[in-house]
Amino acid sequence: MADAATCNNLTHKHVDGKCLGLKQSEVKVATRSLGLRSLIFNAGEDDHDHDNDNQAPLSSGEQLAATTSPTSQAPKQKQSLAPDFATDLVPDDANPPAGREYVFGHSFADLPLPQVVTGFQSLDLGYEHPRAIAFADEITPVSFNLHYNAHSEEKTNPASDTKMYGGAASWLRALPVEQDANVQVGRRSFGAAYGGGWGEKGLSEKNEVKVTFPRIFAKAPKVAVWLCALDFSKAYNWRLKAYASDVSPEGFTLHADTWGGSILYKADVSYIAIAADGQDSLRVGTFGTEDIRPASSWVNSNQGTAKFEKPFTTEKKPRVVAGLSAFEVGCGRGFRVKTGVEGGKEGLSWRLDAAGDSHLYMAKADYVAWDPVRFFALSCIVVIVLFFFLFA
């Protein structure tokens, strides 16, 4: 145990002149929820038989910390924290209870109350009624809970018949907008959860909402979007596409569209807006299966590369976190889709896969990449991955 006077790490807890290191979150276990500090769900072979052999792990997360260049609206002060992320994992369950729920606790040091945004990195659901949600609550300067549940609303739904065999959730944390407006995040909902009524109608094919940033950017920012809740009928293929349009310094239009007869009752979409100026260590972009093939037929193994708008100049590989932004998956079989990324100096390699009897026609993901050398110079926390998410 070191003296606080000799420890300058802002992510450590200091009490009575002593450095206590990084404060860990408390693991909570309840009848239908499990609290973990970091987790990934494992996707399986089919709805009842999961095969995790000979699969490559997704990358885990590290916290970002850096000095950012303020926009015209941001305070002109040195910052000690930029966005961070991790992928939360749990082992798969070949026989999960209906309405399965997880609560994942996270802890940080004494820092300002952050912004936290979540998204799906993978989904592994049964065909009966595909529903899922990832969200954060009980956010404090030092911790938050990340939920990944088998229903589409934040409140518990004991009547949910959805089978969630696995999945993975990405999250990103940023300074409060009042302290640094260079990174702004948020979440919007479209529609409402299925109420159980016969012939209940879903959303229209085209759905949009105007998002106004809490603080105006100097120029139009880069915007990434992640899907973070869904509620589909089982009757037709599952199709959903989230994207941003008409991006300006003041805001943008957020879309959650479906097509081809799909019945979508509800969708939630997270967004991450990053200032275009002064962010040489950050990149935002998208990749998808339509970069390498058409969506007219299903292919369950897809990989490709994407170039950054501007190469990184340091020798170390950039860190990258990605979340799903669109997909089309065949109905009547397992709902499985997952993404994985690995960053390089000039771009990244990516995967968008399904497993077992799933039919993956199309998928897309949005990513945020950053320079680990510049961010590590200030402070960095390695998030421990308890379990690995495996590629089929």
Side-chain angles (χ1 to χ4, degrees):
M1 184 179 295
D3 290 337
T6 62
C7 178
N8 296 319
N9 195 329
L10 296 178
T11 65
H12 287 185
K13 181 72 173 180
H14 300 114
V15 177
D16 296 331
K18 298 294 184 181
C19 173
L20 303 183
L22 175 65
K23 182 180 179 182
Q24 302 291 325
S25 61
E26 183 179 22
V27 176
K28 301 176 181 178
V29 181
T31 303
R32 299 183 64 196
S33 64
L34 171 65
L36 299 175
R37 184 174 185 277
S38 183
L39 57 135
I40 287 182
F41 297 61
N42 290 330
E45 181 65 21
D46 55 44
D47 283 349
H48 302 286
D49 182 15
H50 289 239
D51 181 4
N52 296 319
D53 295 334
N54 302 317
Q55 299 176 338
L58 292 178
S59 59
S60 61
E62 291 186 0
Q63 177 170 318
L64 300 175
T67 300
T68 57
S69 300
T71 65
S72 61
Q73 300 296 318
K76 298 181 180 298
Q77 66 181 70
K78 186 175 181 180
Q79 304 298 334
S80 60
L81 181 70
D84 59 36
F85 85 93
T87 299
D88 282 352
L89 332 169
V90 298
D92 58 353
D93 188 341
N95 188 27
R100 186 182 180 193
E101 296 184 357
Y102 288 89
V103 181
F104 315 127
H106 291 270
S107 253
F108 306 112
D110 292 330
L111 299 171
L113 188 65
Q115 308 172 82
V116 179
V117 68
T118 63
F120 296 131
Q121 192 181 61
S122 75
L123 293 155
D124 185 355
L125 305 172
Y127 65 87
E128 299 91 344
H129 188 159
R131 291 178 285 200
I133 188 169
F135 66 94
D137 68 3
E138 298 187 26
I139 301 170
T140 75
V142 299
S143 66
F144 72 94
N145 285 335
L146 174 59
H147 300 251
Y148 196 129
N149 299 338
H151 42 79
S152 60
E153 294 183 309
E154 293 187 6
K155 63 181 181 181
T156 297
N157 179 8
S160 174
D161 60 352
T162 299
K163 294 297 183 69
M164 182 176 70
Y165 297 95
S170 295
W171 58 266
L172 183 144
R173 181 174 64 121
L175 278 174
V177 173
E178 294 78 12
Q179 294 198 0
D180 182 7
N182 289 299
V183 179
Q184 301 184 41
V185 306
R187 179 189 186 115
R188 296 293 186 273
S189 292
F190 299 85
Y194 175 64
W198 179 258
E200 189 170 338
K201 293 184 178 180
L203 287 163
S204 302
E205 288 194 345
K206 302 293 184 181
N207 305 281
E208 64 181 51
V209 63
K210 180 66 177 177
V211 175
T212 301
F213 296 127
R215 299 281 294 274
I216 298 174
F217 287 90
K219 293 183 178 180
K222 305 290 185 180
V223 179
V225 298
W226 292 346
L227 297 169
C228 51
L230 56 87
D231 192 335
F232 279 100
S233 166
K234 67 179 182 180
Y236 302 94
N237 281 6
W238 304 302
R239 306 176 179 93
L240 180 56
K241 180 180 180 181
Y243 60 98
S245 69
D246 303 321
V247 181
S248 72
E250 293 78 22
F252 66 98
T253 301
L254 183 61
H255 303 259
D257 296 347
T258 188
W259 64 96
S262 295
I263 300 177
L264 173 66
Y265 298 110
K266 182 178 186 288
D268 286 5
V269 183
S270 298
Y271 70 85
I272 305 161
I274 297 177
D277 288 344
Q279 298 296 324
D280 290 339
S281 297
L282 291 168
R283 307 286 185 273
V284 177
T286 186
F287 56 83
T289 57
E290 290 178 301
D291 297 341
I292 60 172
R293 64 169 179 85
S296 54
S297 60
W298 63 271
V299 179
N300 281 356
S301 180
N302 306 272
Q303 56 186 320
T305 59
K307 282 195 171 185
F308 297 133
E309 185 176 7
K310 181 180 178 182
F312 287 95
T313 57
T314 55
E315 294 302 322
K316 286 191 175 183
K317 290 183 179 180
R319 307 299 188 194
V320 186
V321 60
L324 293 169
S325 59
F327 55 74
E328 179 180 357
V329 180
C331 65
R333 55 192 71 242
F335 187 142
R336 303 178 185 86
V337 58
K338 53 189 174 183
T339 185
V341 292
E342 182 176 355
K345 197 171 182 179
E346 297 186 355
L348 57 84
S349 57
W350 56 262
R351 295 184 66 94
L352 284 161
D353 297 337
D357 64 347
S358 296
H359 286 177
L360 180 61
Y361 290 90
M362 180 276 291
K364 294 182 69 174
D366 284 11
Y367 67 84
V368 177
W370 73 96
D371 180 351
V373 174
R374 179 171 176 179
F375 285 112
F376 188 80
L378 291 169
S379 65
C380 180
I381 298 174
V382 178
V383 176
I384 300 172
V385 179
L386 301 182
F387 301 95
F388 290 100
F389 177 84
L390 304 177
F391 281 117

